[in-house]
Amino acid sequence: MIEEGSRSNKIMVEKRQLFMEMRAQNFDVIRLSTYRTACKLRFVQKRCNLHLVDVWNMIEAFRDNGLSTLDHSAEINVSRLETILSSIFYQLNKRLPTTHQINVEQSIGLLLNFMVATYDSEGHGKLTVFSMKSMLATMCGGKIVDKLRYIFSQISDSSGTMVFAKFDQFLREVLKLPTAVFEGPSFGYTEHSVRTCFPQQKKILLNTFLDVMMADPPPQCLVWLPLMHRLANVENVFHPVECSYCRSESMMGFRYRCQQCHGYQLCQNCFWRGHASGPHSNQHQMKEHSSWKSPAKKLSHAISKSLGCVPMGEPPHPVVPEAADRPQDPVHPLQPHPASSSMSDTVLLTAGPPTPTGSTLESPSRLDEEHRLIARYAARLAAEASNSTQSPPADLSFNFDANKQQRQLIAELENKNREILQEIQRLRLEHEQASQPTPEKAQQNPTLLAELRLLRHRKDELEKRMSALQESRRELMVQLEGLMRLLKDEEQKTAQSGGSPHSSPSHSASCTMPMPIRSTSAGSTPTHTPQDCLAGVGDDVLDAFSQGVPRNLRNDLLVAADSITNTMSSLVKELHSVDDGLEDDEVNVRNGRDKVSAQRHYGNRHSTPSF
């Protein structure tokens, strides 16, 4: 009794600690309930270190603790729940490098108290297995599509069809999370929640379930779930744009652009709090941006799109082949295995758990560990198959089928292992990028800030130069067309009069041909002589007019047009390289200084384009 009393007092103290820390973040000033709920649950996720535990690691923990064989309605006491959480966080620390270790005891205490406060408000000291699975699978890290596929495996029958009663039970459990952070009036459970998600469908398969859950917008009762994942993805996104309200020179997180007020942009803090200035109103439609593209990249994207080089958009989730008659099919990995109960967590047999970001710093022995994991899973599958079938050894046909299934499963696991290794490589690159200095550190140094401004100024000059060259190209093309028409007219007049082509066509052309609008040298005055009219046009055209007998200039003019196009292409490449250098130099200004000098040298050599 004394131990139980001390445990309850400890739970109350740590429960107050978590909610007091959340209240100190002042999330209640956010005017939109969706953002407010997502921010609160994201805070709880990070404070309890659940964002470091991938969904596949969580499913593996369920299996290791024997939860896969328990019925959803079975109850577990607080002591066993604490044991399960201990195994989850201690395994997490084994995967993390020594420099990124977490406080396991504190994480266990905070998460245990939050779960008890959420799912055991009456103080019975017990939680159902389904409540614990729903909460941990929703609040852990990982991709939202993987979470939804696992949840579907828990609420579907053996044929791969969703059971509405189980989905209703899932909504009851998962909607207790917004209620626990005092957002129950906006996202509490109602009896009509199921029908609001699936108003017309009667038979719900996996792809239909994913389409509805990941739609834009998602079901109203679960709109905070995808937003919480978007918040996690944009926490470190930098936007080099000034906020139109708070005048902050940089934005972190989301960026919001007004669709009615030109150039009016707000950072996420100002938008969430309903700030507005000038003609802008909170009633205007705002577009949410989770990334930043410079004008040069937008121009490159527009050119690539016009040339048909931009790939088509990917679907919101990979389409899974429907295999209702074969729930154990490897291509349908979230269907329950027939060797266990209908609610078993056999998903890890076809999709091994990826490693968190911190584990990318481990040694290359990770490859051997992955192969040993595959072999262990294959041995476990063989043992389960032999125990479930109880077939005599003389049945050679069955043994052949079992071996074939095992080989298929091993091949599937090897494919998944290759995907995991690719993901490890991607995470290693992200870790290396994250370990480099951020633009915020550069702003603290005036010298670095001056270098960044110089680079931006150089980029603006190149953009203006590109615009001027585009206008010059258009004008020169008009002049080239005029030259072609004049040449044809002179040839026709010469043919009609029977005169010599050496008579004086150049004087007539110099009087009627349009003069160049721009000159490459400052202070030059255009005249009406043929050579001045052809100044800057190109060697091919000059050679054509300097010969005694006029040749066919159509090919020469086309060559000159191609020269103009090549010059524009080289300028676009230079502008793109300067923009990439600007992004790199925001990370390392010293490298940017060398790139600026190179670009200046390149600009001096090519300041006057040769057509």
Side-chain angles (χ1 to χ4, degrees):
M1 295 296 294
I2 297 177
E3 293 181 358
E4 292 294 333
S6 61
R7 180 185 296 274
S8 61
N9 293 333
K10 182 180 179 181
I11 290 176
M12 291 299 296
V13 172
E14 294 184 351
K15 174 186 175 183
R16 295 192 191 98
Q17 175 187 353
L18 181 62
F19 285 103
M20 287 176 63
E21 292 179 3
M22 185 177 66
R23 189 175 292 108
Q25 300 295 320
N26 202 19
F27 291 124
D28 291 330
V29 299
I30 302 177
R31 63 187 183 96
L32 300 176
S33 60
T34 305
Y35 287 97
R36 190 169 59 246
T37 304
C39 289
K40 289 180 178 180
L41 292 177
R42 174 63 178 168
F43 172 80
V44 174
Q45 182 190 46
K46 295 180 65 177
R47 188 67 182 85
C48 298
N49 288 318
L50 276 175
H51 66 295
L52 301 176
V53 184
D54 193 85
V55 61
W56 303 110
N57 301 128
M58 191 66 71
I59 299 172
E60 177 71 8
F62 294 161
R63 292 177 55 86
D64 292 342
N65 288 275
L67 299 180
S68 302
T69 58
L70 295 179
D71 190 77
H72 281 176
S73 59
E75 294 183 342
I76 58 175
N77 54 30
V78 177
S79 299
R80 186 174 180 184
L81 176 61
E82 185 175 3
T83 303
I84 296 172
L85 298 182
S86 300
S87 66
I88 292 173
F89 286 111
Y90 277 113
Q91 290 295 326
L92 172 63
N93 253 359
K94 291 181 180 180
R95 293 189 298 269
L96 294 177
T98 56
T99 56
H100 293 75
Q101 296 289 302
I102 64 172
N103 189 337
V104 175
E105 297 297 333
Q106 185 183 38
S107 301
I108 294 172
L110 291 176
L111 181 56
L112 177 65
N113 298 325
F114 180 76
M115 294 181 67
V116 171
T118 303
Y119 295 101
D120 188 28
S121 58
E122 298 181 358
H124 296 301
K126 294 182 179 180
L127 280 75
T128 63
V129 173
F130 191 60
S131 300
M132 188 193 65
K133 285 185 177 181
S134 301
M135 186 272 176
L136 293 178
T138 303
M139 293 293 291
C140 67
K143 298 179 180 179
I144 185 174
V145 63
D146 295 332
K147 294 182 181 181
L148 293 174
R149 292 173 67 184
Y150 170 72
I151 290 170
F152 184 83
S153 69
Q154 301 299 296
I155 61 175
S156 59
D157 55 18
S158 59
S159 65
T161 304
M162 189 188 77
V163 180
F164 278 89
K166 294 179 181 179
F167 179 68
D168 180 74
Q169 183 63 27
F170 167 74
L171 290 181
R172 287 177 184 269
E173 303 299 338
V174 77
L175 293 181
K176 289 180 182 179
L177 294 173
T179 304
V181 294
F182 313 107
E183 297 297 333
S186 301
F187 299 104
Y189 171 80
T190 62
E191 297 180 355
H192 305 287
S193 298
V194 177
R195 285 303 170 186
T196 58
C197 297
F198 302 99
Q200 299 178 354
Q201 295 89 341
K202 295 182 179 180
K203 183 179 180 180
I204 308 300
L205 301 178
L206 175 58
N207 288 326
T208 306
F209 179 78
L210 295 177
D211 290 339
V212 173
M213 293 293 109
M214 301 184 67
D216 188 15
Q220 180 61 30
C221 61
L222 295 174
V223 69
W224 50 269
L225 181 57
L227 179 58
M228 185 176 69
H229 286 78
R230 296 206 310 273
L231 281 174
N233 293 332
V234 303
E235 283 182 347
N236 298 320
V237 174
F238 174 76
H239 305 269
V241 182
E242 182 182 32
C243 178
S244 300
Y245 182 84
C246 67
R247 300 301 177 185
S248 175
E249 295 183 357
S250 60
M251 301 182 188
M252 295 295 293
F254 286 119
R255 173 170 55 92
Y256 298 89
R257 176 186 291 271
C258 182
Q259 301 299 295
Q260 300 183 24
C261 304
H262 177 71
Y264 193 90
Q265 301 187 85
L266 293 176
C267 62
Q268 65 178 18
N269 292 331
C270 293
F271 175 75
W272 290 354
R273 286 156 177 78
H275 295 162
S277 60
H280 178 70
S281 172
N282 290 330
Q283 304 300 323
H284 291 179
Q285 183 179 3
M286 304 289 287
K287 185 176 181 179
E288 183 181 273
H289 295 272
S290 58
S291 62
W292 162 256
K293 288 184 179 180
S294 63
K297 281 191 175 182
K298 292 181 180 178
L299 177 61
S300 300
H301 180 76
I303 295 175
S304 301
K305 186 176 181 181
S306 63
L307 297 177
C309 300
V310 178
M312 299 298 293
E314 297 182 356
H317 65 86
V319 178
V320 181
E322 305 292 354
D325 55 338
R326 293 183 62 193
Q328 73 278 12
D329 199 326
V331 300
H332 196 38
L334 290 182
Q335 290 295 336
H337 195 275
S340 59
S341 62
S342 60
M343 299 302 169
S344 63
D345 303 323
T346 57
V347 57
L348 277 179
L349 296 180
T350 55
T355 307
T357 306
S359 63
T360 58
L361 302 178
E362 295 180 357
S363 62
S365 61
R366 175 67 181 172
L367 298 174
D368 298 333
E369 295 178 3
E370 293 292 343
H371 289 295
R372 286 197 298 269
L373 183 63
I374 293 174
R376 182 165 61 90
Y377 284 159
R380 183 184 300 179
L381 177 64
E384 291 178 355
S386 61
N387 294 333
S388 61
T389 55
Q390 298 295 330
S391 60
D395 194 350
L396 299 179
S397 61
F398 175 80
N399 291 335
F400 176 79
D401 294 337
N403 292 333
K404 182 178 179 180
Q405 292 179 359
Q406 292 175 10
R407 288 194 299 270
Q408 291 177 351
L409 181 59
I410 292 174
E412 184 70 15
L413 288 173
E414 290 177 349
N415 293 333
K416 189 61 181 180
N417 182 52
R418 285 192 291 269
E419 296 177 3
I420 293 172
L421 295 179
Q422 294 176 359
E423 183 70 10
I424 290 174
Q425 182 65 21
R426 184 186 65 82
L427 293 175
R428 180 181 291 110
L429 295 177
E430 292 180 358
H431 179 78
E432 293 175 355
Q433 295 175 359
S435 62
Q436 295 177 356
T438 60
E440 295 179 353
K441 297 180 181 179
Q443 292 180 357
Q444 298 176 3
N445 192 331
T447 304
L448 301 182
L449 184 60
E451 293 289 342
L452 291 176
R453 290 177 178 172
L454 182 61
L455 289 175
R456 292 193 179 98
H457 181 69
R458 174 61 177 166
K459 185 193 70 173
D460 295 337
E461 290 179 353
L462 290 176
E463 289 177 351
K464 293 179 181 179
R465 179 183 166 197
M466 185 195 68
S467 301
L469 287 177
Q470 286 179 342
E471 182 64 22
S472 299
R473 176 179 178 274
R474 185 186 64 81
E475 295 169 358
L476 289 175
M477 292 299 295
V478 173
Q479 294 176 25
L480 290 174
E481 293 178 359
L483 288 172
M484 183 180 291
R485 289 195 299 268
L486 290 174
L487 182 61
K488 290 182 179 180
D489 294 338
E490 288 299 326
E491 290 177 352
Q492 293 177 359
K493 291 180 181 179
T494 303
Q496 292 175 0
S497 61
S500 174
H502 295 276
S503 57
S504 59
S506 61
H507 179 73
S508 175
S510 65
C511 297
T512 58
M513 183 176 61
M515 300 302 298
I517 297 178
R518 284 188 174 86
S519 178
T520 57
S521 62
S524 62
T525 304
T527 63
H528 293 279
T529 63
Q531 296 299 328
D532 292 336
C533 294
L534 296 176
V537 174
D539 296 335
D540 295 322
V541 179
L542 288 175
D543 294 339
F545 278 94
S546 63
Q547 294 177 356
V549 180
R551 59 176 181 177
N552 186 9
L553 290 183
R554 182 180 301 273
N555 294 333
D556 297 330
L557 294 176
L558 291 177
V559 171
D562 290 339
S563 176
I564 295 172
T565 304
N566 294 332
T567 304
M568 290 300 301
S569 300
S570 64
L571 181 60
V572 171
K573 293 179 180 179
E574 179 185 358
L575 181 60
H576 185 70
S577 64
V578 169
D579 184 74
D580 292 339
L582 178 58
E583 294 179 351
D584 294 336
D585 288 326
E586 288 178 348
V587 180
N588 192 341
V589 178
R590 297 298 180 185
N591 296 333
R593 186 179 301 166
D594 297 337
K595 184 173 290 185
V596 169
S597 62
Q599 290 171 350
R600 288 177 177 171
H601 179 68
Y602 183 87
N604 292 332
R605 292 194 303 149
H606 299 274
S607 59
T608 303
S610 175
F611 298 102

